Amino acid sequence: MTEGLRDTHGEGTRLDPWLGAYAARAQAMRASEIRALFAVASRPEVVSLAGGMPYIGGLPLEEIGDMMRRLIVDRGETALQYGSGQGDEALREQITQVMALEGIAAHADDVVVTTGSQQALDLVTTIFIDPGDVIVAEAPSYVGALGVFRAHEADVVHVPMDAHGLIPVALESTLARLQAERKRVKFLYTVPNFHNPGGVTLSLERRPQILEICARYGVLVLEDNPYGLLGFDHEPLPALRSMSDDGVIYLGSFSKTFAPGFRVGWAVAPHAVREKLVLASEASILCPSNASQLAISSYLNHSDWHGQIKSFREQYRDRRDALVGALEENIPSASWNVPEGGFYVWVKLPAGLDSKSMLPRAVTARVAYVPGTAFYYDGQGADFLRLSYCFPTPDRIREGIRRLAGVVDAEMETVRIFGTGAADRSGSVEFPSPDLA
Amino acid sequence: MDVMILAGGLSHERDVSIRSGRRVQDALRDRSTRVSVHDVDMALIPSLREGGVDVVWPLLHGESGEDGSLQALLELLGLRFVGTASKDARVAWTKPVAKSVLGRAGVDTPDFVTLPQSLFREVGAEQVLDAVAATFGLPVVIKPARGGSALGVSLVTTRDALPRAMVHCFAYGDVALIERAVAGVEVAVSVVGTGAQARALPAVEIVCEGPYDYDARYNPGRVEYFAPARLTEAQRDAVERAALETHRVLALRDLSRIDMIVDEQGVPQIIDINIAPGMTETSLFPQAVEAAGLDLGELYGEILATAAARN
Ligand SMILES: Nc1ncnc2c1ncn2[C@@H]1O[C@H](COP(=O)(O)OP(=O)(O)OP(=O)(O)O)[C@@H](O)[C@H]1O
Ligand SMILES: Cc1ncc(COP(=O)(O)O)c(C=O)c1O
């Protein structure tokens, strides 16, 4: 062992012989108390309104089991072998049909299959971001994307949303400011439909405006759309990608419309970008799982997947109603939006409450949520929390909100006694875990 | 010997407990014991009733595991288990009660006051905090009267920071312990055995950049451990005596970890008592065992054998 890597100095030890060897970006990694508190969220006593886990119990598991068996018996030689770096061709063709539902006309050659859209996020960031480059993103923004951006040492600048999604004038003024500061803005990361965690959807009217502003500033758009087909009330809005072929990289996923366990997502990109994505993907994983891809492919071929999505929508609508109804009844002092699809409600706490300090109380009361600070790059968001209604049944959701109401009351009482307000946590950093997805 | 480790539970320290359970299981792997790990849930009592378990090792941290409830259940079921009996666990777990018992027995602990949230509401928080600052001076340490892994603990150096530290603490429980902050060398002394047979393992010294908080404890890097601690012979005797005295006065059984700060006069001030010390990769108890030149598996085996033979 070389001197620089030695674990002892004096006679002490830091219990890690590799301490001197880590990359700079690993130094800021912290074991947060929040992760510890989430350890109980998996216990059945706890109503978890924290994770974005889809309701897998709603799938026809017998049927999927039979399908998987047939897949291995009939096509095992392919399914269990390495495959193409870009992804299975038949599946890519099917993916173009899925995207057609949101107005996207793409060719199978434009599609790169990835290990969840999370890997696509990583690939896009890998090929575009040098340390210090700027990514513009909604405020708040998906915690898993922020984790990827942080790992690549990007700088993230948040732009506010309102009930109609990202605000065009705010985007414009942010880009103008960054340009004046000579910052290198590489892309806008946006979740236009049923935002995670914001719950809002970018209005039809704003879609071309956002594209136009980005085109004017020479900023690529990264459209992340795992929830687009999970709208409760109307047909999906046309994707940003359907309005611009050259200016948008589109990310899709089967995680929320089918099952995240297969880890299959995809990217659609302008052809030059697509080439680089494939090379980057091969360098990191060789190829996406053939078994998973063929499973999804045969599911799309043989199951009534439209019917399944419809039934998911109905289940999720019931759960949304249960959550929103329970909030109205039990926590009227908070405010929230009513999402028209997807999994999440973004709640603003009554003044003075801090969702992160309140979390231990919630865990004691056997209810879990994600503190708002997880969804900002810079520690803002202490006065918000995210509630997910995708996993628990409506009854459990109501029970969870009753518990949360008790937690909010107790925390209000403490805050009132001590006259404190929400903390400014600028500079503190959250590391996402799969519990938060 | 058939051993059932209990790990997990519903406390804030579930995560740490699960890791402790796995490490102890690993250390016992090559021995002639059969070791299973079980959570504390609806399936526990049926599993225990199935029989065949010679001894239970509760490795639950935090409430229900350390407050004596689980021990009471094991006593109720007539099972032999490692560690302190329920009635004594309850005393050790409640910091202010343990401190009073120790104080009466002449063991030093930092000056303190125990205040429930309701008192602040009834008489006005600002005035109480003013009195705290005036009596103890700053810094003070605010901590939940019951708790572990430094959750809810703050070192407060300015009067302005007191209210937020109180809010942070009360998120973990209704009663706060406010303690004079002791400057000095932080050491943890692990004790093995019971009563007159108890012996102290070498003290482990903790030198931490920033607070010795959750991150510092479980994410290696910020803490430098010295095992054995860099103490003079007199200090070493003093910390061992204080630990053994604490272990005996509180009637702790089989094992414990007594945390203390050796103040500037060289006097050990007890700050925390753990009847189910952490057993993870970064925990202090296993470090002390190694510093003593003992084998973890062998020592755990002896602890289990003693517990299994108890009447
Ligand atoms: N009176 C004090 N003076 C100075 N520092 C203190 C004092 N009390 C506690 N600390 C610091 O705070 C840390 C946590 O305190 P303490 O051990 O009481 O908490 P705990 O939650 O019971 O932790 P454990 O997991 O050790 O049971 C200590 O390790 C020490 O660094
Ligand atoms: C906005 C967003 N993007 C991406 C993902 C990751 O999805 P996948 O399972 O496809 O990796 C999620 C999952 O929660 C998400 O909410």
Side-chain angles (χ1 to χ4, degrees):
Chain A
M1 202 188 288
T2 62
E3 192 56 36
L5 298 179
R6 210 194 291 277
D7 131 55
T8 49
H9 78 75
E11 341 138 44
T13 170
R14 289 181 190 254
L15 302 180
D16 180 359
W18 307 109
L19 210 58
Y22 292 113
R25 63 182 163 276
Q27 313 256 289
M29 293 181 175
R30 294 268 180 268
S32 89
E33 293 182 10
I34 293 197
R35 293 183 77 125
L37 294 175
F38 275 133
V40 300
S42 59
R43 285 269 308 227
E45 296 87 341
V46 177
V47 179
S48 179
L49 303 170
M53 295 190 309
Y55 173 55
I56 295 303
L59 287 170
L61 295 179
E62 283 290 332
E63 192 185 310
I64 295 168
D66 291 344
M67 179 196 89
M68 299 284 289
R69 204 190 98 73
R70 274 201 316 275
L71 174 66
I72 300 299
V73 172
D74 299 346
R75 301 177 65 199
E77 299 232 5
T78 312
L80 302 182
Q81 191 51 273
Y82 289 112
S84 133
Q86 187 171 356
D88 181 71
E89 193 168 344
L91 176 64
R92 283 189 277 123
E93 189 62 49
Q94 291 165 308
I95 286 173
T96 62
Q97 291 156 24
V98 174
M99 290 191 295
L101 298 174
E102 293 177 81
I104 297 173
H107 193 275
D109 286 350
D110 301 331
V111 177
V112 183
V113 180
T114 54
T115 302
S117 55
Q118 188 71 21
Q119 191 214 352
L121 276 168
D122 189 60
L123 294 176
V124 172
T125 312
T126 302
I127 67 172
F128 282 102
I129 296 297
D130 288 317
D133 284 350
V134 175
I135 298 167
V136 173
E138 284 123 356
S141 204
Y142 166 52
V143 59
L146 297 181
V148 170
F149 301 159
R150 193 169 281 124
H152 288 83
E153 300 171 79
D155 197 3
V156 172
V157 175
H158 289 288
V159 176
M161 292 189 286
D162 61 18
H164 308 287
L166 190 62
I167 303 170
V169 292
L171 175 64
E172 165 114 42
S173 64
T174 303
L175 291 178
R177 173 171 63 77
L178 291 166
Q179 190 175 58
E181 292 170 3
R182 301 190 177 284
K183 294 277 174 58
R184 299 211 303 175
V185 180
K186 290 297 184 65
F187 56 80
L188 164 69
Y189 171 70
T190 177
V191 180
N193 299 313
F194 318 123
H195 192 271
N196 177 5
V200 299
T201 294
L202 183 63
S203 68
L204 184 58
E205 189 194 352
R206 284 185 184 177
R207 293 184 181 224
Q209 297 171 7
I210 298 291
L211 290 169
E212 186 276 320
I213 294 166
C214 286
R216 202 148 28 82
Y217 283 87
V219 170
L220 185 63
V221 175
L222 178 55
E223 175 180 27
D224 186 9
N225 186 31
Y227 305 101
L229 298 178
L230 294 176
F232 305 145
D233 307 315
H234 18 75
E235 291 302 302
L237 293 177
L240 295 169
R241 175 59 172 62
S242 74
M243 304 172 178
S244 160
D245 293 351
D246 305 341
V248 178
I249 300 176
Y250 175 91
L251 308 185
S253 175
F254 291 107
S255 289
K256 312 294 177 169
T257 51
F258 180 34
F262 288 111
R263 307 303 301 125
V264 176
W266 69 90
V268 175
H271 76 275
V273 176
R274 181 203 66 214
E275 289 306 314
K276 291 209 164 46
L277 288 177
V278 173
L279 293 173
S281 184
E282 287 174 355
S284 93
I285 63 162
L286 300 180
C287 66
S289 156
N290 251 3
S292 285
Q293 292 182 83
L294 296 194
I296 301 256
S297 182
S298 83
Y299 172 73
L300 294 174
N301 267 333
H302 302 301
S303 292
D304 174 18
W305 62 276
H306 289 279
Q308 181 60 50
I309 290 179
K310 186 161 173 287
S311 117
F312 271 144
R313 278 190 211 125
E314 283 159 10
Q315 275 152 345
Y316 292 138
R317 191 205 284 114
D318 286 349
R319 288 164 193 222
R320 188 262 331 249
D321 291 345
L323 181 69
V324 168
L327 281 171
E328 278 163 11
E329 195 177 318
N330 296 286
I331 320 186
S333 56
S335 53
W336 57 87
N337 64 308
V338 179
E340 293 175 352
F343 288 1
Y344 310 106
V345 173
W346 182 239
V347 178
K348 183 162 175 41
L349 289 170
L353 293 199
D354 180 324
S355 60
K356 202 167 163 182
S357 333
M358 192 172 83
L359 191 61
R361 235 187 247 282
V363 169
T364 306
R366 312 269 177 263
V367 57
Y369 59 80
V370 184
T373 45
F375 305 98
Y376 290 84
Y377 212 59
D378 53 8
Q380 302 172 60
D383 44 347
F384 287 92
L385 53 83
R386 188 192 76 179
L387 299 177
S388 317
Y389 48 80
C390 41
F391 194 72
T393 61
D395 276 343
R396 293 286 287 167
I397 289 173
R398 281 185 279 269
E399 172 59 24
I401 296 298
R402 276 193 291 275
R403 295 178 189 176
L404 187 61
V407 169
V408 166
D409 285 348
E411 184 76 3
M412 288 245 262
E413 157 106 5
T414 305
V415 164
R416 205 177 308 116
I417 293 171
F418 292 98
T420 56
D424 174 13
R425 296 184 189 278
S426 307
S428 77
V429 168
E430 294 302 330
F431 282 85
S433 66
D435 317 331
L436 307 186
Chain B
M1 181 162 54
D2 257 295
V3 177
M4 187 188 279
I5 290 174
L6 302 182
L10 268 168
S11 83
H12 294 132
E13 292 170 88
R14 173 178 177 79
D15 185 39
V16 179
S17 168
I18 288 172
R19 284 191 272 163
S20 290
R22 265 200 303 267
R23 294 300 284 185
V24 171
Q25 186 183 31
D26 274 356
L28 289 166
R29 183 138 300 172
D30 301 328
R31 312 189 62 77
S32 60
T33 41
R34 290 205 310 152
V35 186
S36 58
V37 181
H38 209 295
D39 205 340
V40 178
D41 55 19
M42 290 306 222
L44 175 63
I45 293 180
S47 300
L48 287 169
R49 282 247 164 86
E50 248 169 46
V53 175
D54 298 302
V55 58
V56 178
W57 191 338
L59 275 171
L60 288 122
H61 309 313
E63 70 270 25
S64 104
E66 287 188 89
D67 69 1
S69 329
L70 187 70
Q71 289 79 358
L73 173 72
L74 295 171
E75 286 158 7
L76 195 67
L77 296 172
L79 289 161
R80 298 195 171 97
F81 62 92
V82 170
T84 300
S86 65
K87 65 181 196 321
D88 304 312
R90 200 165 290 284
V91 171
W93 170 246
T94 312
K95 288 182 170 148
V97 177
K99 282 169 72 88
S100 305
V101 174
L102 290 175
R104 245 174 269 139
V107 178
D108 291 302
T109 83
D111 296 340
F112 72 106
V113 58
T114 312
L115 298 171
Q117 180 176 305
S118 54
L119 181 100
F120 288 90
R121 186 186 55 229
E122 283 151 22
V123 307
E126 284 304 305
Q127 299 174 72
V128 180
L129 293 178
D130 281 340
V132 164
T135 305
F136 290 106
L138 294 174
V140 289
V141 176
I142 315 275
K143 47 179 121 169
R146 304 177 197 86
S149 281
L151 298 172
V153 178
S154 321
L155 174 75
V156 180
T157 47
T158 64
R159 171 66 181 81
D160 305 350
L162 272 176
R164 193 175 295 288
M166 298 308 305
V167 172
H168 182 51
C169 174
F170 285 128
Y172 286 89
D174 289 337
V175 184
L177 180 74
I178 303 176
E179 207 172 60
R180 194 189 296 283
V182 181
V185 180
E186 180 161 359
V187 300
V189 182
S190 300
V191 177
V192 182
T194 305
Q197 265 74 54
R199 65 200 154 105
L201 301 179
V204 180
E205 175 183 347
I206 298 143
V207 180
C208 190
E209 289 157 24
Y212 184 45
D213 56 12
Y214 187 84
D215 172 60
R217 285 164 191 234
Y218 302 111
N219 182 20
R222 268 171 49 212
V223 184
E224 187 166 16
Y225 299 94
F226 292 84
R230 299 166 301 175
L231 299 172
T232 63
E233 193 138 325
Q235 287 170 333
R236 210 176 58 218
D237 285 350
V239 300
E240 289 184 2
R241 243 184 296 113
L244 288 172
E245 191 61 12
T246 302
H247 190 84
R248 278 190 209 115
V249 167
L250 295 174
L252 306 188
R253 216 156 65 176
D254 299 333
L255 78 166
S256 69
R257 195 192 77 223
I258 314 297
D259 301 340
M260 57 191 90
I261 297 175
V262 182
D263 69 16
E264 276 147 3
Q265 282 70 51
V267 178
Q269 301 279 346
I270 307 292
I271 55 170
D272 191 29
I273 294 124
N274 302 279
I275 63 158
M279 297 290 192
T280 70
E281 293 86 338
T282 58
S283 292
L284 299 156
F285 189 95
Q287 290 191 55
V289 174
E290 273 179 36
L294 301 173
D295 177 73
L296 274 181
E298 228 169 275
L299 181 76
Y300 294 165
E302 281 165 26
I303 290 173
L304 284 162
T306 311
R310 195 162 26 232
N311 287 320

